[in-house]
Amino acid sequence: MTAAVIYIHGFLSSPQSLKAQQLGEFVAAQHPDVEYIVPGLANNPGEACQQVDQLVQDCLRRYPGLLGLVGSSLGGFLATVMAERYDLPAVLINPAVAPHNFAEHFIGDHRNPYTGVDFSLGQADIDALRGMAVSPTASRYWVLVQEADEILDYRRALDFYQSSKLTVEAGGDHSFQGFDRYLPAVMDFLQLA
């Protein structure tokens, strides 16, 4: 292996998500020299951030300068945190922007539909998200959004990443329908191919 790409899934998601699977199959078939990593993240954002941070550090030791990130939804937020912390390129799919500003309605009990794990979010989780906030360096990012995202307002991502490479599609949904159309371009943007 000569490089690595980390896919960071969103809240209430897992490595079994469709986009994670599509990217993994593409990397295995088209870029067998690239290690594809999809961690199963903790449901609490602070723990998830610590997991991703440790994984990024481990990958940078193995592949100095040859690591890219792909993040979806809250995973897009975490990818942004890591991209700024470690000077990495990232592709973001319908990313959450400043999730601490809207996450209060998630306080309470949840079940991850992929894993069946029950968990609770509290004010400490919102505070953890607030403490992670960063300002993006435009050249690091390619942001893909679909206007009919039923979970997040795509315009927030356009404002936050306004000077980055942006792809805006009419219709679609929060899962970003047709993500597989972009797989070759994702690897090109990350400069791992």
Side-chain angles (χ1 to χ4, degrees):
M1 300 285 178
T2 59
V5 59
I6 300 172
Y7 181 93
I8 307 170
H9 66 73
F11 181 65
L12 296 177
S13 190
S14 84
Q16 285 75 47
S17 73
L18 179 60
K19 293 184 297 294
Q21 296 297 309
Q22 289 173 330
L23 183 57
E25 291 167 10
F26 180 79
V27 171
Q30 301 298 319
H31 303 283
D33 58 329
V34 175
E35 182 178 2
Y36 180 64
I37 305 164
V38 190
L41 298 176
N43 291 300
N44 297 79
E47 292 174 51
C49 186
Q50 290 175 358
Q51 286 176 279
V52 174
D53 189 274
Q54 187 60 58
L55 181 58
V56 167
Q57 290 182 46
D58 292 345
C59 286
L60 286 173
R61 278 192 284 278
R62 287 184 284 154
Y63 311 108
L66 293 170
L67 175 63
L69 306 173
V70 178
S72 176
S73 191
L74 185 61
F77 172 76
L78 293 175
T80 301
V81 173
M82 294 302 131
E84 292 303 318
R85 194 173 287 175
Y86 295 105
D87 189 20
L88 298 170
V91 175
L92 312 176
I93 308 141
N94 285 331
V97 174
H100 56 277
N101 288 334
F102 61 83
E104 289 195 0
H105 70 274
F106 288 106
I107 290 178
D109 297 330
H110 300 275
R111 171 171 282 187
N112 185 309
Y114 286 92
T115 64
V117 172
D118 293 319
F119 66 99
S120 295
L121 292 183
Q123 186 60 47
D125 295 298
I126 308 306
D127 294 342
L129 287 169
R130 183 176 292 108
M132 294 178 218
V134 295
S135 296
T137 303
S139 59
R140 295 190 211 289
Y141 304 100
W142 177 19
V143 181
L144 297 99
V145 296
Q146 290 184 330
E147 293 178 354
D149 183 336
E150 72 281 12
I151 306 293
L152 299 173
D153 184 342
Y154 76 96
R155 294 169 294 192
R156 289 183 185 210
L158 297 185
D159 289 343
F160 191 69
Y161 298 99
Q162 60 186 302
S163 298
S164 297
K165 179 179 179 178
L166 302 171
T167 298
V168 184
E169 293 186 352
D173 60 23
H174 187 61
S175 71
F176 198 93
Q177 295 176 11
F179 172 63
D180 55 332
R181 296 170 288 149
Y182 291 100
L183 297 175
V186 164
M187 294 302 288
D188 288 345
F189 181 82
L190 296 175
Q191 298 182 341
L192 302 176

